[in-house]
Amino acid sequence: MATLLPELKRQEAVLSSESADTMSFTCCLKMSLENDSPILIFCFFHKAFRNELDALHRLAMKFATGHRVDIGTLFERYRFLRSVYQHHSNAEDEVIFPALDLRVKNVAKTYSLEHESESNLFDHLFELLSSYRKTDERFPKELASCTRALLTSISQHMAKEEEQVFPLLIGKFSPEEQASLLWQFLCSIPVNMMAKFLPWLSSSISPDEYQDMRKCLSKIVPEEKLLQQVIFTWMEGRNDNDNVENCTDGFEVGGLEDSTCNERTQQMNGGKCACEPSKTAKRKYLEPSNDVPVATGMCPINEILLWHNAIKQELDEIAKEAKKIQFSGDFSNLSAFEGHLQFIAEVCIYHSIAEDKIIFPALEGEFSFSQEHAEEENQFNDFRHLIESIQSAGANSTSAAQFYEKLCIHTDQIMETILGHFHNEEVQVLPLARKHFSFKRQQEILYQSLCVMPLKLIERVLPWLMGSLTEKEAINFLQNMQSAAPATDKALVTLFSGWACKGRNQGECLSSNVVGCCLAKKFADIEENVSQSCHACSSRFCTDNNPLSSQNKVKRRVKRNVAVLCKSSNIPDSLQTANSLSLSDRPCCVPGLGVYSNNLGFSSHSTTKSLRSLSFSSSAPSLNSSLFIWETDSSSSYDVGCAERPIDTIFKFHKAISKDLEYLDVESGKLTDCDETFLRQFIGRFHLLWGLYRAHSNAEDEIVFPALEAKESLHNVSHSYTLDHQQEEKLFEDISCVLTEISQLHESLQRVHLDENLTWSDTEFFAAHGSDLMDKYIELTTKLQGMCKSIKVSLDHHILREELELWPLFDRHFSLEEQDKIVGRIIGSTGAEVLQSMLPWVTSALTFDEQNKLMDTWKQATKNTMFNDWLNECWKGPPESSSDTEASNAKISQTDNDFQESSDQSDSMFKPGWKDIFRMNQNELEAEIRKVYRDSTLDPRRQAYLVQNLMTSRWIAAQQKLPQATAAETSNNGDVMGCSPSFRDPEKQVFGCEHYKRNCKIRAACCGKLFTCRFCHDKMSDHSMDRKATSEMMCMLCLKIQAVGPTCTTPSCNGLSMAKYYCSICKLFDDERVVYHCPFCNLCRLGRGLGKDYFHCMTCNCCLPLKIVNHKCIEKCLETNCPICCDFLFTSSDIVRALPCGHHMHVACFQAYTCSHYTCPICSKSLGDMAIYFGMLDALLAAEELPMEYKNRLQDILCNDCEKKGTARFHWLYHKCGSCGSYNTRVIKSEATAPDCST
């Protein structure tokens, strides 16, 4: 049943389009206005796209929630938006981004990759639309999800452009250069699309913004009135094209035609604009007209043969030129040959597009040459790649002969393919067109086919074509073009006619032979008439803002265009001959575009865009197609089969992320009808993904990207991806908010259905409002499904771009050691809690081999740490009890065995359990000790440690088994030493001891006694306590001994917490301080945690504050004794201070030591900035006078700070280094005298 849209949907539209996107648009608009930047016009483009996408999304949501929507209208609006946005993206790739890339490296490629991703999104959307069936219940929600994903993707892309690209364009290009770029941008869009795009754009913005856009265009379009008339005539069509979004390439939406169609166009074309493709599947154009006799020789459609002949002639010239290069072996003119080839490739491609979009649809789709067209384009691309490869490699004796052969082979293949294609068209298509199309319709088809090309190509093509025609053929061509054009295209036809005449000998004007006088000479009258008509149809916006009159207000700084084409090696000879004459010698004078004479440092002859992706039956171009200005380096993409690199660890996370994104996308569609368990599972899975992705993004932003930016050649390469992370975090937050609403609604619905004590009036109330709750719940779940689709698409595309663009850079710019260090930094900034969640999450998405490679990489990066010990303990989980120690090895799960096998393949060293120790005789024990000594992978300290433990293992095992038995007995008897509470504050009855505040005592595994902490045990015993072996504790409230854990399991205590912090590995309880467990130290440390205020240095094997990330590393520097008190630093509970030289000592020891010393007791380097102290010594020595016998003596010294040798004047105590000025030196040799010494 049709109902009004819920308020929530309107709020969503306001939130998405006005709060975020509009803010970005406003900032960009303000910045452009302040800088007087023509680039402002892109802000209007973006606003129009956002408005249309938002409107389409609201319609799709309306359709998905059961409202009536005309799916045909929706389909056509999608198609028009796709066509407009694709041309916009192609023009950016061809003009804007190459120019930006010359001045600011490493920015543009990312945005071109995003264009490709957006094209794929449109393809997916149209595949869904083409599969529409009324009986398909999933289609509406799928459509809403895809539309939401498209809206999110394009909005994020445009927001990033406004934040990064536009400021760079404004900062790196002057206003004149910006105007030149934007003029080339407009001239790169096909004429028929410009005729629809500008009116649609004008109708999408407010009247004030419309006036601003006109001012921008007056700066962008050259001063020549004819060019301005062409552009502003298109723009003034806003009133006549209010519903232009419903008209697309070859389609019109039935029932949506506006009655206010342009009257002049109706008079000229019977109500049809000649620049737009005709309706398909309409027989009225397939009926020959009786009004105009059509003889075979007079058919306008025969002009296609003229195009074919001109292309054939050009291909013949290319073939001759290729053979000339082969015979001469001269590569000097290869660039000109490439330009010649590029020109004819553009002509052929746009000729094919005209056939696919104009001619074949008019024949009701009876013919299709899409395969031939695709083959031709591929052959041209292969030819161009061949030329580029020889230009980059250079012609040498080994490659020249092979290149000559390939050059001729490619030329012959192109000739054969195109000639066969033309022959089939001439035999199959043209006879039907002559037979079924009227004379007028044939003229219209030819004019529409010409308007498929952009202005800058038409400017080159028309002189080239006219140069190959006879005078009669040329006159007929102009006559057909001028007859087919509507009255509003008079200025455009004048421009075309003038360009066409430039291809004739001496620039001969043929317009007078066609219409009785030269159109260029009558331009002033045309301009006046068209201007008046434009003002009449758009008086709402044009009262005082004629672009021609506004030129006095906005003065153009540079006149960019010229009336003739510049001579270029890329332009065919026929064009250059025609252009060799000066403008004053020509009777037909029209302005040129000036887009080939830019001074921005890049060639306008860019790679032709593959526009057939906009055709009805073809797919989007691949990444390696000519869609990009640059070619994607095949060696740059990630190759799964290549040698494993440390940085490839990131790919494993990408794979796990993609797996969970797929889960969210699929399972979100089941939330409409689900139970509470499924909803909670979905929410938990989402929050797990969010947390792990946030950790992943932070690692990239804080570690990986700065490492890339530190390389001089990689500046700016990661900025776009940092913006992606910010946008993706916002998407996660939005999904979290919607999930909260859904959870609350689900609970409300459950209460409505489960409440059995409702009165009759309550039942009636809930019956009335339960339906509203259910409608809102369905609406929210539909919205959530679209948001999950959006975040999946965004993250998938983000990951793909990273793998294509960023990760190949590590092979070229980073050694394996540098990559190891980066991976170590990432891991070292990840806390134990995150790792505990991350490892199962990542490994579940990997194959067995991938798990092995991942763990090998992590082990290599953490080889100096205790990470492997933590991993084993964490994976096994806490021991069941101390009495089960003997059987613990037998109870390891199969999962743990698999993990140890995959992560510790290289460690074949014997690891005996207690039962093995008791079964071993002396010979077997000695054999195991010899095996340790033979293991070359162990460092001497590790070998000594293992040997000592093996030699004492039988005694240790016996000692540990004895207290276990004793503990079991005393536990059974209830008589345990220390079974009473202890207090940290006896007055306030606060449980604990002098070391810790906690609510429990721990039972020592070594002696079976109860102590508040291990320090209390060590203080009262003659041995040390192994806290990790603790398996039992006693709650000091109920005095019950139980398995160690975070809470008391006795019912009377009601889940009393033993402390705020509990570590299951260290068995540490602390109710006062902020503590974290470092998985690499495998110890608990004071602080907020890794990645928050500390990080673990894999070389030093210690936790250091984030503020000293850049420090001097000394391998395993903390695994030593304090040089002052000789306490072992790694496990010390006292605060440790890092010295500038890389060594460490306790803070208390440091304070006491520095009262009388300023050098490190280990390496003798200064412990700080001693400039003031050294200055005092300078003053002291300057005032001190030595005895005569020592005055001229010198001493050789070694500086402890800079480690350089030098000489200094004799002194009993102080010797200044001549290199760094330090007095931290030592004498290594004394000389007798230095009579000439002046220092």
Side-chain angles (χ1 to χ4, degrees):
M1 182 174 67
T3 59
L4 293 176
L5 278 174
E7 185 64 24
L8 178 64
K9 197 166 301 175
R10 290 195 293 270
Q11 292 176 354
E12 173 198 346
V14 171
L15 179 63
S16 62
S17 63
E18 294 186 5
S19 65
D21 295 336
T22 305
M23 184 182 299
S24 178
F25 168 78
T26 304
C27 294
C28 184
L29 190 64
K30 181 179 179 182
M31 176 180 60
S32 300
L33 289 173
E34 290 175 352
N35 292 274
D36 192 28
S37 302
I39 208 72
L40 160 71
I41 198 169
F42 274 118
C43 299
F44 299 122
F45 295 170
H46 286 184
K47 182 175 182 181
F49 290 136
R50 285 190 180 103
N51 290 343
E52 183 66 10
L53 283 166
D54 189 63
L56 291 173
H57 176 246
R58 290 199 302 271
L59 285 174
M61 283 292 293
K62 185 177 179 182
F63 182 51
T65 51
H67 299 78
R68 294 181 59 185
V69 173
D70 185 354
I71 191 65
T73 302
L74 198 61
F75 181 85
E76 299 308 325
R77 290 184 67 174
Y78 280 127
R79 185 179 295 280
F80 175 76
L81 177 65
R82 178 197 191 188
S83 180
V84 171
Y85 188 77
Q86 187 72 65
H87 285 295
H88 171 86
S89 300
N90 288 342
E92 280 188 334
D93 291 338
E94 184 177 348
V95 178
I96 305 298
F97 293 158
L100 179 62
D101 194 60
L102 288 175
R103 300 192 179 182
V104 184
K105 295 295 183 182
N106 306 318
V107 173
K109 186 176 181 180
T110 302
Y111 292 92
S112 285
L113 288 171
E114 290 182 5
H115 286 163
E116 174 67 15
S117 300
E118 290 154 2
S119 178
N120 293 336
L121 272 179
F122 274 114
D123 291 338
H124 178 70
L125 179 64
F126 276 85
E127 288 176 6
L128 181 66
L129 288 170
S130 62
S131 64
Y132 170 60
R133 300 290 184 274
K134 291 185 177 181
T135 57
D136 188 358
E137 297 179 355
R138 296 176 301 174
F139 174 81
K141 289 189 176 182
E142 282 292 325
L143 180 62
S145 298
C146 290
T147 307
R148 176 82 185 215
L150 188 66
L151 169 64
T152 302
S153 180
I154 294 180
S155 296
Q156 288 181 343
H157 171 81
M158 293 188 299
K160 285 166 55 182
E161 283 189 339
E162 291 164 5
E163 186 169 347
Q164 183 185 17
V165 177
F166 291 0
L168 289 175
L169 289 172
I170 292 173
K172 299 296 181 179
F173 294 85
S174 66
E176 293 81 7
E177 290 174 328
Q178 294 175 39
S180 179
L181 275 177
L182 290 168
W183 177 236
Q184 293 178 61
F185 174 89
L186 295 176
C187 292
S188 300
I189 300 176
V191 170
N192 61 349
M193 182 52 60
M194 286 291 291
K196 294 182 288 186
F197 171 64
L198 286 180
W200 171 77
L201 177 63
S202 301
S203 62
S204 301
I205 56 181
S206 66
D208 292 339
E209 292 169 345
Y210 175 76
Q211 299 302 334
D212 290 335
M213 189 176 74
R214 288 177 62 88
K215 294 177 182 177
C216 275
L217 281 176
S218 67
K219 300 176 186 178
I220 294 168
V221 182
E223 290 179 325
E224 280 70 15
K225 294 183 179 180
L226 184 57
L227 296 178
Q228 292 218 351
Q229 192 62 60
V230 170
I231 298 299
F232 284 100
T233 298
W234 285 335
M235 187 176 176
E236 296 297 347
R238 63 184 280 162
N239 283 354
D240 300 333
N241 295 276
D242 284 339
N243 293 324
V244 71
E245 63 269 16
N246 298 321
C247 301
T248 59
D249 299 333
F251 285 90
E252 292 180 1
V253 183
L256 293 177
E257 295 182 6
D258 192 65
S259 60
T260 61
C261 186
N262 190 302
E263 295 180 0
R264 290 166 296 180
T265 306
Q266 289 179 342
Q267 294 171 1
M268 193 71 187
N269 270 337
K272 179 71 179 135
C273 175
C275 280
E276 298 178 2
S278 64
K279 297 180 182 180
T280 58
K282 300 294 181 182
R283 293 298 303 181
K284 67 177 183 178
Y285 285 125
L286 298 181
E287 298 174 358
S289 172
N290 297 325
D291 299 335
V292 181
V294 182
T296 301
M298 297 175 56
C299 291
I301 203 69
N302 286 341
E303 285 184 8
I304 293 179
L305 297 176
L306 303 180
W307 287 91
H308 287 182
N309 292 334
I311 293 173
K312 291 175 186 177
Q313 292 177 16
E314 202 68 28
L315 289 174
D316 285 337
E317 292 182 13
I318 290 175
K320 292 177 182 178
E321 200 168 343
K323 290 182 173 60
K324 181 180 178 181
I325 294 175
Q326 180 183 13
F327 293 143
S328 65
D330 182 13
F331 288 88
S332 60
N333 203 29
L334 199 58
S335 297
F337 178 78
E338 182 187 12
H340 202 178
L341 176 68
Q342 182 64 37
F343 171 76
I344 196 61
E346 292 182 13
V347 174
C348 291
I349 289 173
Y350 278 103
H351 178 72
S352 301
I353 293 172
E355 291 177 342
D356 290 338
K357 291 187 175 183
I358 306 298
I359 300 175
F360 296 154
L363 292 170
E364 294 188 337
E366 295 182 10
F367 297 97
S368 175
F369 289 88
S370 58
Q371 292 184 354
E372 290 86 345
H373 294 162
E375 183 181 356
E376 292 167 11
E377 184 176 358
N378 290 333
Q379 289 181 353
F380 277 120
N381 282 336
D382 292 341
F383 206 167
R384 180 172 53 82
H385 294 164
L386 175 64
I387 295 174
E388 290 176 352
S389 64
I390 197 62
Q391 284 178 324
S392 60
N396 53 57
S397 57
T398 57
S399 63
Q402 185 179 9
F403 169 71
Y404 298 147
E405 182 180 358
K406 288 184 178 180
L407 190 68
C408 293
I409 291 175
H410 276 73
T411 306
D412 294 339
Q413 288 177 346
I414 291 176
M415 287 281 293
E416 181 180 355
T417 302
I418 292 181
L419 291 178
H421 170 206
F422 285 173
H423 174 74
N424 293 335
E425 286 184 354
E426 293 166 6
V427 172
Q428 301 176 27
V429 179
L430 291 184
L432 281 179
R434 296 189 195 103
K435 178 180 179 181
H436 295 295
F437 290 151
S438 65
F439 189 90
K440 182 65 175 176
R441 181 58 182 146
Q442 292 180 34
Q443 290 178 325
E444 291 174 353
I445 287 176
L446 292 174
Y447 182 68
Q448 293 166 17
S449 300
L450 180 64
C451 291
V452 166
M453 298 182 185
L455 279 176
K456 72 174 187 178
L457 182 59
I458 295 176
E459 183 186 19
R460 299 170 60 203
V461 165
L462 286 178
W464 164 79
L465 177 65
M466 297 295 283
S468 66
L469 305 182
T470 65
E471 182 175 351
K472 182 178 179 181
E473 290 171 340
I475 292 174
N476 288 336
F477 179 90
L478 293 177
Q479 186 175 13
N480 290 330
M481 179 177 65
Q482 294 169 7
S483 298
T488 52
D489 280 3
K490 283 298 183 182
L492 182 64
V493 172
T494 302
L495 195 64
F496 287 173
S497 300
W499 288 343
C501 292
K502 293 176 183 179
R504 304 301 300 169
N505 293 332
Q506 304 298 319
E508 176 186 359
C509 179
L510 300 177
S511 298
S512 56
N513 296 329
V514 177
V515 297
C517 64
C518 179
L519 288 175
K521 296 176 181 177
K522 295 183 62 179
F523 170 65
D525 297 333
I526 296 173
E527 173 196 341
E528 182 180 357
N529 295 334
V530 177
S531 177
Q532 292 174 357
S533 64
C534 290
H535 278 278
C537 69
S538 58
S539 58
R540 172 186 169 191
F541 304 103
C542 304
T543 54
D544 297 315
N545 292 277
N546 190 321
L548 303 181
S549 63
S550 65
Q551 291 177 13
N552 294 328
K553 299 179 181 179
V554 184
K555 184 177 180 181
R556 297 293 300 276
R557 297 176 177 85
V558 179
K559 186 174 181 178
R560 296 186 309 278
N561 66 306
V562 291
V564 295
L565 298 176
C566 292
K567 188 173 182 67
S568 171
S569 59
N570 293 338
I571 303 177
D573 294 338
S574 58
L575 271 71
Q576 296 192 20
T577 302
N579 294 336
S580 62
L581 298 174
S582 65
L583 183 61
S584 60
D585 296 332
R586 296 182 178 180
C588 186
C589 301
V590 294
L593 298 175
V595 295
Y596 296 102
S597 58
N598 68 80
N599 58 352
L600 298 177
F602 71 97
S603 172
S604 294
H605 302 289
S606 302
T607 306
T608 306
K609 300 301 167 191
S610 179
L611 299 176
R612 240 189 317 278
S613 61
L614 300 177
S615 302
F616 308 130
S617 60
S618 61
S619 60
S622 66
L623 252 180
N624 294 323
S625 75
S626 58
L627 181 65
F628 295 102
I629 303 301
W630 43 78
E631 295 300 321
T632 303
D633 186 1
S634 59
S635 65
S636 298
S637 59
Y638 174 62
D639 185 4
V640 177
C642 67
E644 192 79 9
R645 305 165 300 178
I647 202 65
D648 292 341
T649 302
I650 303 295
F651 291 108
K652 309 302 189 299
F653 288 90
H654 287 178
K655 189 172 183 179
I657 289 170
S658 299
K659 179 182 177 181
D660 267 31
L661 289 171
E662 184 69 25
Y663 169 85
L664 293 182
D665 183 28
V666 174
E667 299 301 313
S668 61
K670 303 176 183 178
L671 291 177
T672 304
D673 186 18
C674 71
D675 56 16
E676 185 177 357
T677 302
F678 181 84
L679 179 59
R680 288 186 177 180
Q681 180 182 0
F682 183 89
I683 295 174
R685 188 80 172 264
F686 164 76
H687 283 287
L688 174 65
L689 174 62
W690 186 8
L692 295 176
Y693 181 76
R694 179 183 292 167
H696 174 75
S697 301
N698 291 340
E700 288 186 334
D701 291 339
E702 297 169 6
I703 300 171
V704 180
F705 294 164
L708 286 169
E709 296 288 341
K711 302 290 183 178
E712 185 175 355
S713 59
L714 300 181
H715 290 336
N716 303 310
V717 75
S718 63
H719 187 191
S720 172
Y721 296 94
T722 301
L723 297 178
D724 282 336
H725 289 160
Q726 297 171 4
Q727 293 174 340
E728 289 152 5
E729 179 67 18
K730 181 64 169 61
L731 287 178
F732 274 111
E733 291 175 358
D734 293 342
I735 293 177
S736 179
C737 293
V738 174
L739 277 174
T740 301
E741 293 184 54
I742 289 177
S743 180
Q744 294 171 352
L745 274 177
H746 194 275
E747 292 178 2
S748 300
L749 288 171
Q750 290 292 103
R751 287 198 300 269
V752 169
H753 291 298
L754 297 178
D755 196 344
E756 299 178 355
N757 299 320
L758 296 176
T759 63
W760 182 84
S761 59
D762 291 335
T763 304
E764 188 177 42
F765 174 81
F766 281 115
H769 292 80
S771 177
D772 294 338
L773 288 176
M774 193 63 196
D775 289 343
K776 188 174 183 181
Y777 180 81
I778 292 174
E779 178 189 340
L780 282 175
T781 54
T782 304
K783 175 183 176 181
L784 179 67
Q785 185 177 357
M787 297 173 77
C788 290
K789 172 75 74 175
S790 298
I791 200 167
K792 178 184 184 300
V793 169
S794 296
L795 291 180
D796 281 346
H797 290 171
H798 173 88
I799 288 171
L800 177 62
R801 292 195 308 273
E802 277 189 354
E803 295 177 0
L804 285 173
E805 184 182 11
L806 294 190
W807 302 129
L809 299 176
F810 285 94
D811 265 345
R812 296 195 289 268
H813 299 277
F814 292 84
S815 64
L816 292 179
E817 291 75 15
E818 290 176 316
Q819 294 184 37
D820 267 330
K821 188 174 181 180
I822 292 174
V823 173
R825 279 286 318 279
I826 294 173
I827 301 173
S829 299
T830 307
E833 297 82 2
V834 177
L835 285 177
Q836 283 178 313
S837 301
M838 182 183 293
L839 284 173
W841 173 72
V842 174
T843 54
S844 65
L846 305 179
T847 63
F848 184 75
D849 290 339
E850 289 173 334
Q851 290 180 23
N852 285 342
K853 292 179 180 179
L854 175 67
M855 297 314 302
D856 287 343
T857 301
W858 281 42
K859 287 177 64 178
Q860 175 63 26
T862 59
K863 60 184 178 181
N864 291 333
T865 72
M866 307 298 178
F867 177 70
N868 200 40
D869 296 337
W870 173 84
L871 204 59
N872 291 332
E873 293 178 8
C874 178
W875 207 275
K876 290 178 183 178
E880 297 177 8
S881 67
S882 60
S883 61
D884 297 330
T885 306
E886 289 186 10
S888 60
N889 289 337
K891 295 183 178 180
I892 298 175
S893 65
Q894 184 63 37
T895 304
D896 183 43
N897 289 332
D898 294 341
F899 173 76
Q900 287 189 350
E901 181 181 355
S902 64
S903 63
D904 201 10
Q905 294 284 338
S906 62
D907 192 0
S908 59
M909 189 178 59
F910 177 62
K911 298 179 180 179
W914 299 128
K915 292 189 295 183
D916 300 306
I917 292 293
F918 284 113
R919 287 198 303 265
M920 290 172 60
N921 56 33
Q922 187 65 27
N923 293 333
E924 291 172 334
L925 190 61
E926 291 176 358
E928 294 302 327
I929 292 173
R930 286 193 292 272
K931 186 185 295 184
V932 171
Y933 278 122
R934 289 195 299 268
D935 192 344
S936 60
T937 62
L938 298 175
D939 60 80
R941 287 190 299 174
R942 183 68 173 171
Q943 285 179 337
Y945 172 79
L946 292 173
V947 169
Q948 181 181 4
N949 278 274
L950 280 172
M951 294 177 68
T952 60
S953 57
R954 302 175 76 179
W955 179 85
I956 294 174
Q959 292 296 314
Q960 291 194 350
K961 284 181 66 66
L962 180 61
Q964 288 168 10
T966 306
E969 295 175 2
T970 56
S971 178
N972 293 333
N973 297 332
D975 185 13
V976 181
M977 184 176 294
C979 188
S980 60
S982 63
F983 297 94
R984 182 174 178 84
D985 187 345
E987 295 182 359
K988 297 182 179 179
Q989 294 292 295
V990 175
F991 292 126
C993 65
E994 60 179 308
H995 307 104
Y996 296 100
K997 176 186 175 183
R998 54 178 59 168
N999 295 328
C1000 66
K1001 284 187 174 183
I1002 54 177
R1003 188 172 186 178
C1006 52
C1007 56
K1009 299 177 182 179
L1010 290 169
F1011 295 93
T1012 309
C1013 70
R1014 66 184 180 95
F1015 297 110
C1016 295
H1017 171 278
D1018 295 348
K1019 184 178 180 180
M1020 300 174 63
S1021 306
D1022 58 356
H1023 59 278
S1024 297
M1025 175 181 174
D1026 181 8
R1027 57 181 173 179
K1028 294 184 179 180
T1030 302
S1031 60
E1032 291 181 310
M1033 69 176 185
M1034 182 197 75
C1035 173
M1036 287 195 282
L1037 183 62
C1038 64
L1039 303 182
K1040 295 294 184 181
I1041 298 177
Q1042 53 196 289
V1044 66
T1047 59
C1048 179
T1049 58
T1050 305
S1052 61
C1053 288
N1054 196 22
L1056 174 67
S1057 174
M1058 298 295 98
K1060 293 179 181 178
Y1061 174 82
Y1062 166 70
C1063 176
S1064 60
I1065 296 177
C1066 299
K1067 307 303 186 297
L1068 175 66
F1069 301 85
D1070 198 316
D1071 210 23
E1072 286 182 326
R1073 295 170 293 186
V1074 179
V1075 186
Y1076 71 95
H1077 184 90
C1078 174
F1080 311 102
C1081 297
N1082 201 21
L1083 292 171
C1084 289
R1085 304 284 193 191
L1086 289 176
R1088 293 170 53 215
L1090 297 181
K1092 298 176 182 177
D1093 54 355
Y1094 284 89
F1095 77 100
H1096 189 94
C1097 176
M1098 298 300 169
T1099 303
C1100 299
N1101 191 27
C1102 62
C1103 291
L1104 298 174
L1106 286 175
K1107 61 184 179 182
I1108 57 170
V1109 169
N1110 299 318
H1111 63 282
K1112 183 176 181 179
C1113 289
I1114 298 179
E1115 189 170 350
K1116 299 183 179 180
C1117 61
L1118 214 60
E1119 296 184 37
T1120 184
N1121 295 332
C1122 174
I1124 308 302
C1125 68
C1126 296
D1127 189 14
F1128 190 56
L1129 291 174
F1130 191 77
T1131 57
S1132 175
S1133 60
D1134 295 329
I1135 302 175
V1136 175
R1137 180 187 179 103
L1139 306 180
C1141 56
H1143 296 108
H1144 295 76
M1145 66 173 66
H1146 292 118
V1147 170
C1149 296
F1150 176 83
Q1151 293 173 349
Y1153 175 75
T1154 52
C1155 290
S1156 56
H1157 300 80
Y1158 69 89
T1159 60
C1160 174
I1162 299 175
C1163 65
S1164 297
K1165 292 188 180 297
S1166 297
L1167 295 178
D1169 185 3
M1170 306 301 297
I1172 297 177
Y1173 177 65
F1174 292 157
M1176 294 169 61
L1177 293 181
D1178 285 338
L1180 177 65
L1181 294 181
E1184 187 177 49
E1185 186 173 352
L1186 294 176
M1188 291 300 296
E1189 61 267 27
Y1190 298 108
K1191 206 166 192 179
N1192 295 327
R1193 283 194 177 188
L1194 296 178
Q1195 294 174 305
D1196 290 343
I1197 62 172
L1198 173 65
C1199 180
N1200 292 323
D1201 287 337
C1202 67
E1203 299 180 358
K1204 293 181 180 180
K1205 294 182 180 180
T1207 59
R1209 283 184 178 275
F1210 177 87
H1211 199 273
W1212 292 277
L1213 291 177
Y1214 305 116
H1215 305 88
K1216 184 173 183 178
C1217 174
S1219 299
C1220 65
S1222 171
Y1223 280 91
N1224 182 14
T1225 59
R1226 54 194 172 108
V1227 177
I1228 56 178
K1229 183 180 178 182
S1230 296
E1231 293 184 2
T1233 59
D1236 297 329
C1237 179
S1238 60
T1239 60

